[in-house]
Amino acid sequence: MEGLSQPSARFSLNHIFFDSLLDRLSEFSLIPEPASNQTSAPVAHNQVFLGKIYTQFCPTVETVEAMLVSNNKVVILGSQHEIEQYITRLDMSVRYQYLGEEQSLCPGFIEPNINLILSAILQQWSHIGPFGFDCGWQKLMPNYGLNYIARALLYLDKGLSAEDWLLGYGLYSVLLDESAQTSQDDVFQLVQQVCIDRPVAILDATSAIAYVNEAALEKIYSYLQHHDANPFASKAMFFDLVRRQNGLINEQLVWLVEALPARQLKRQLKSVFIQIDEIVARAYSLGITHMGTIDTHPFARKLLNLYQKTNSAISIMEPRNSWLQELNSLACLSEQYTKVEPAANRSIAINIGEVGYCGYDWVKSYHGQSMLQPCQQLMDQGYNVCLQSGFPILPLSPLRAAEQACSRIMEYAPGCYTRHERVLLPDQCLSKPQSLNAITKAAAEHLGSNLGTLKEGETANFVHLSADPLASNSNFRELAVIACYTN
């Protein structure tokens, strides 16, 4: 491999590949099919909720036993007696909802960072990661490996039209072998050997590399030949380079975009609003009341503006432009950095789920340790720390992110690792209230909003949970969302 460029250690939706994909989609003069106008769970005109109600989690945990909601506003928070006195005084007709003995209400969850348009496009590809084809599993599948990937590709191949490529994303090569290079080589060889005649292109989840079969390489080389962009003297040289790299890497991924069939891309563009609608519906079912979009590409912005005119089930917002987007964690852990005085107006959205799935790879990688995400120290230094799900590469689930911030457990690590050894930087774990604050109030502050708490006179955005999230035996990821109220 000497002399060859390597796939980068990070592969995000900000990569040139995705910009090129949106550029190509923008060439089609298509108007996406309209999405259905979803509505949130209805709240009666005057409704009283009785049970354990969390109004905020930080700086202190505050609860009440009753809440009156009227015209989508929180009217009163307090005791049942106080609310009944208010109702009697105004002679109000109300509907009562009694929470189950173990159930609770809390402020609605907020997803602070999501590339909504690209997520909608990738949802029409196939997720080849360890969370199912729709990236909906909340835990790593136990049998994730080369055999699963081979079976998945063969299964997906059967459902495609004859002219379509088999397109996939989210393949976690770092979970397949202790050596990232060995894993990528194994995946590349698998894609060559699996009995699929159509072009196949699978994007890795963490490295800027696409695993492609020979049918795809033929199409890509044909594009290079016919567009005066061929840097290779022969097809043999092109094939040899790709084999030595185990796929297309870095800027070469643009070649893949240009070779994709126009008919398939047009179909994906036509369905983009329907796919956004499905993402919104999934978010709503997970207790998410607001999403912060970070789509920056001009065409993505255009599509997003068109979508927002037809759908209001979940409020779509933008993070403040001044917030910090990325962070070198090693710098934060250095002695010099710890002496920095806390400062206001600093916020960061952390994809903490990567600690669970990439943590082991980071631990054994020299440069990977820069991704260790020192959450508690950042909070001590004055940062507004909020959590993002990492969708569409990781499942969309604020509660899963909150659980990971509390535990920092490497969910993928060799079996010889004890539970204690699987905790990555235990001193950086957030408390349960801090984690819940990170997906409610802190996430709202990241969006420049006063959401994330329940206050009298404010809009009623809240979620009904199957259990008390702060109970000693509570596992966030296993909490069920009974209902989500967004206004």
Side-chain angles (χ1 to χ4, degrees), residues 58 80 210 297 325 356 395 431 456:
C58 276
Q80 181 176 353
H297 190 280
Q325 296 299 320
S431 67
E456 294 180 358

Side-chain angles (χ1 to χ4, degrees), residues 283-297:
Y284 179 75
S285 71
L286 295 167
I288 296 172
T289 62
H290 295 76
M291 293 194 295
T293 60
I294 52 175
D295 299 87
T296 57
H297 190 280

Side-chain angles (χ1 to χ4, degrees), residues 107-123:
F109 305 139
I110 296 169
E111 183 67 29
N113 280 353
I114 183 170
N115 287 92
L116 196 51
I117 298 300
L118 282 174
S119 296
I121 297 296
L122 288 178
Q123 286 295 96

Side-chain angles (χ1 to χ4, degrees), residues 58 112 320 323-324 327 343-350 375 377-387 430 434 437-449:
C58 276
R320 295 183 183 178
W323 288 149
L324 184 66
L327 185 72
N345 299 323
R346 297 194 299 187
S347 180
I348 182 169
I350 291 178
C375 301
Q377 186 167 334
L378 288 169
M379 294 187 72
D380 293 342
Q381 292 169 354
Y383 281 92
N384 176 65
V385 175
C386 61
L387 303 174
L430 299 184
Q434 285 176 327
N437 185 68
I439 62 173
T440 53
K441 183 180 178 182
E445 290 179 358
H446 193 76
L447 300 181
S449 168

Side-chain angles (χ1 to χ4, degrees), residues 73-92:
K73 297 284 187 180
V74 177
V75 179
I76 294 184
L77 294 163
S79 68
Q80 181 176 353
H81 178 68
E82 290 171 331
I83 287 182
E84 288 180 344
Q85 280 188 320
Y86 181 88
I87 293 170
T88 301
R89 187 170 67 251
L90 296 184
D91 193 24
M92 296 176 65

Side-chain angles (χ1 to χ4, degrees), residues 153 157 165-166 187-202 210-220 238-239 242-243 247-248:
L153 295 179
D157 175 54
W165 288 40
L166 199 169
V187 174
F188 181 76
Q189 295 303 322
L190 170 65
V191 171
Q192 308 309 308
Q193 295 166 8
V194 70
C195 295
I196 297 177
D197 294 330
R198 74 177 71 249
V200 177
I202 310 296
Y211 309 104
V212 288
N213 65 356
E214 290 206 3
L217 290 177
E218 290 283 356
K219 297 288 187 182
I220 294 168
F238 171 63
F239 273 56
V242 174
R243 291 189 186 105
L248 297 170

Side-chain angles (χ1 to χ4, degrees), residues 19 56 130 138 277-278 346 461:
D19 282 341
Q56 69 173 38
Q138 295 302 306
D277 224 30
E278 292 184 3
R346 297 194 299 187
N461 295 293

Side-chain angles (χ1 to χ4, degrees), residues 408-478:
R408 298 186 65 92
I409 291 177
M410 294 186 292
E411 298 188 23
Y412 168 77
C416 60
Y417 273 57
T418 66
R419 179 177 177 83
H420 175 73
E421 292 171 331
R422 287 172 180 262
V423 179
L424 191 59
L425 296 183
D427 59 325
Q428 297 301 323
C429 290
L430 299 184
S431 67
K432 281 189 172 184
Q434 285 176 327
S435 292
L436 291 170
N437 185 68
I439 62 173
T440 53
K441 183 180 178 182
E445 290 179 358
H446 193 76
L447 300 181
S449 168
N450 63 352
L451 299 164
T453 60
L454 292 174
K455 295 180 180 178
E456 294 180 358
E458 299 293 336
T459 305
N461 295 293
F462 58 98
V463 61
H464 184 176
L465 297 176
S466 61
D468 181 353
L470 295 187
S472 59
N473 61 346
S474 177
N475 187 324
F476 290 163
R477 199 179 324 209
E478 295 175 358

